[in-house]
Amino acid sequence: MNCQYLKHLVLAVLFLAKLPSYAYAETGLTHQADIVVYGGTSAAIIAAVQASRSGKSVIVVSPDKHLGGLSSSGLGFTDTGNKSVIGGIAREFYHRVYLHYQNREAWKWQQKEEYGNKGQGTPAIDGADRTMWIFEPHVAESIMEDFVSENNLQVFRGEWLDRKKGVEMRESVISGIRTLSGKYFKGKMFIDATYEGDLMAAAGVSYHIGREASSVYQETWNGVQPLVFQHNHHFTTNISPYRVSGDKNSGLLPGVSEEPLAMKGSGDRKLQAYCYRMCLTDKPEHRKAFARPDHYDRMNYEILARLFQSGWSELFDKYDPIPNRKTDTNNHGPFSTDFIGMNYEYPEASYEERKKIIKAHEDYQKGLMYFMANDIKVPELYRTAMQKWGLAKDEFVDNENWPYQIYVREARRMISDYVLTEHEVLGKKSVPKPIGMGSYALDSHNTQRYITAEGYVQNEGDIGVTAPKPYSISYDAIVPKAKECSNLLVPVCLSSSHIAYGSIRMEPVFMILAESAATAAALAIDHNIGVQKVSYSELKALLLEQKQRLALKE
């Protein structure tokens, strides 16, 4: 090879290596739209639909192959709260669920008349409003795909944000984002619709992880809450936390923390537990038996064995029925599908580290089901009953019938100039600039499993305080501080305290806030202003036209 040519080649490579990140925008991998939505959740798709209906070009950059987030991944027994405050495209989604199940062909494994009409605090099928709040995972995903096709949405799947250097900013404005595949997405406005808040964090927006001390916002239910048990997810009998019952020298059983419990109301970095919302069936010809998972260790479930031995009998209390003799199976009781204490690192973890955390959750939960169906320490009555259940064969068909999405109940939460707290949720404080409503209880799953002073195992973090009436959510809670970013909206990891987020973190609310975020983004583009300067009166008028429910007086 010619030496002079080699010299020029080396110089060219060195030059390209020193180019700033925005140089990637000059390659053939660049895509551009008015609004770029990052995420594959239900909120992401609803935001994109509204952006399109507002006359804006929109791109969805989705890390996920399957769209719809938890709504398409097992959470079919919808946490509605007060359904009357669910409006806009969110209500359209539940109307489409209703229309689907009006067809006899939709009832393959069960007659419609056999299903019943049980919902969470509301009828599953509301004929008067033509809505349905309970559904199978594949039905939700199909509706999301219909939204995509009907609105000609451009969706890039399997595209993961380069969280280290993939956000190009000029002062407080995001110019574009780059994914790990090398694709570059330019936009005027950006919406972070992920459960993790990855785009928000990569853009340098302030956020919090874990529980604030109750003193930060003068809240009652934030921070560590020793001996507060509001969902019956605690131990009512004395269960030893040691490998050999009663022997401290034998070591702790898996999942039990050796840390002493902190003072009431103190803050920490701990998160309410994650799990998978399994779709199970007891239809013999349609179920897949629980198999022994990877890395199975029966000692992971010794506490449950001792719990059964103590007389606990609530095993099947959260096998909530969804159509076609299936369930949305959720955590219930002191030892269940929640993998308590094993998600603390998840929000900040790298993608590879997150995969390991997710895999550990999957192995734990699959192992739990296998244990209950097969282990001789499980009373025969429960073992026999568990053997009648299995994974539904027609759900998550390309993932061995296991849900696509782990239930990230809480990760990062933005810190903006306005932080929504329990005071708004409990009706003790008015809300400025309402863009949607919530109504669910302050709801936190357990965050840790510890040893009591008496030497027994106990859980902490389980909170369930009813909101006295529906409450409004402020526009200011979904926009960052202006000095940090002026063209980003965050409808999922919004600005709220830990305990307030326990009420907000419901799929219908995420859809509502996403629609409002997209409407605001369109207005910001029309007026060439930052999201913080959007006229609320103009935004409110549009939201009311879209049949969003903003406040009780609306």
Side-chain angles (χ1 to χ4, degrees), residues 205-208 217 413-417 419 481 484 495:
V205 172
S206 299
Y207 60 87
H208 187 84
Y217 301 115
R413 300 186 312 281
M414 182 167 64
I415 303 175
S416 190
D417 291 325
V419 179
K481 297 174 182 177
E484 293 181 344
S495 181

Side-chain angles (χ1 to χ4, degrees), residues 263-544:
M263 291 179 59
K264 181 178 175 62
S266 58
D268 57 28
R269 296 268 297 180
K270 295 172 181 176
L271 298 167
Q272 58 178 309
Y274 299 170
C275 71
Y276 283 92
R277 299 288 284 254
M278 297 177 296
C279 186
L280 306 182
T281 183
D282 63 351
K283 191 80 171 174
E285 66 272 32
H286 189 49
R287 72 169 184 258
K288 178 180 177 181
F290 300 122
R292 183 187 177 100
D294 299 336
H295 313 116
Y296 178 73
D297 181 355
R298 69 159 310 282
M299 287 302 290
N300 288 332
Y301 316 104
E302 176 62 23
I303 290 175
L304 180 58
R306 296 176 188 178
L307 185 64
F308 280 132
Q309 188 177 22
S310 75
W312 185 73
S313 60
E314 301 174 24
L315 177 58
F316 296 105
D317 281 17
K318 281 302 288 180
Y319 282 46
D320 292 315
I322 62 175
N324 284 305
R325 256 175 81 172
K326 300 176 188 176
T327 71
D328 169 355
T329 302
N330 194 13
N331 179 83
H332 179 76
F335 193 104
S336 185
T337 57
D338 278 358
F339 200 17
I340 298 173
M342 302 302 161
N343 59 344
Y344 299 158
E345 305 304 320
Y346 179 86
E348 300 279 63
S350 68
Y351 292 133
E352 287 304 312
E353 290 167 338
R354 282 184 187 170
K355 285 181 182 178
K356 293 177 182 177
I357 294 170
I358 290 169
K359 176 61 174 170
H361 278 73
E362 179 182 336
D363 285 345
Y364 164 79
Q365 199 161 328
K366 286 181 175 178
L368 174 66
M369 307 311 288
Y370 177 80
F371 173 83
M372 291 190 294
N374 295 280
D375 198 280
I376 60 172
K377 279 204 171 185
V378 176
E380 186 177 3
L381 174 68
Y382 300 129
R383 231 185 313 143
T384 302
M386 277 301 302
Q387 289 167 5
K388 295 178 180 178
W389 290 90
L391 301 173
K393 289 182 179 179
D394 65 345
E395 299 291 349
F396 320 119
V397 293
D398 59 349
N399 197 44
E400 298 181 344
N401 311 115
W402 192 253
Y404 302 123
Q405 170 75 54
I406 191 171
Y407 195 172
V408 177
R409 290 188 171 93
E410 185 176 2
R412 301 182 181 95
R413 300 186 312 281
M414 182 167 64
I415 303 175
S416 190
D417 291 325
Y418 177 92
V419 179
L420 193 145
T421 69
E422 70 174 44
H423 303 298
E424 288 89 345
V425 175
L426 298 180
K428 298 177 180 179
K429 186 177 180 181
S430 61
V431 176
K433 303 180 184 177
I435 57 167
M437 300 187 73
S439 61
Y440 208 77
L442 298 173
D443 181 65
S444 175
H445 283 230
N446 282 307
T447 62
Q448 59 186 324
R449 181 168 286 145
Y450 68 100
I451 307 169
T452 67
E454 296 76 22
Y456 301 112
V457 65
Q458 191 53 273
N459 298 331
E460 184 275 324
D462 174 50
I463 303 294
V465 179
T466 301
K469 60 183 180 180
Y471 59 92
S472 297
I473 300 171
S474 175
Y475 177 66
D476 292 336
I478 70 167
V479 297
K481 297 174 182 177
K483 64 183 180 181
E484 293 181 344
C485 191
S486 60
N487 67 333
L488 174 68
L489 296 114
V490 187
V492 176
C493 294
L494 69 160
S495 181
S496 81
S497 69
H498 153 73
I499 197 59
Y501 196 76
S503 173
I504 297 165
R505 61 172 184 84
M506 306 301 159
E507 290 287 290
V509 178
F510 289 155
M511 295 185 208
I512 290 165
L513 297 181
E515 178 179 351
S516 296
T519 305
L523 281 175
I525 291 171
D526 289 343
H527 296 294
N528 193 27
I529 55 176
V531 294
Q532 294 83 5
K533 296 182 178 180
V534 167
S535 165
Y536 176 68
S537 61
E538 193 173 358
L539 175 60
K540 177 181 178 181
L542 289 175
L543 296 181
L544 291 177

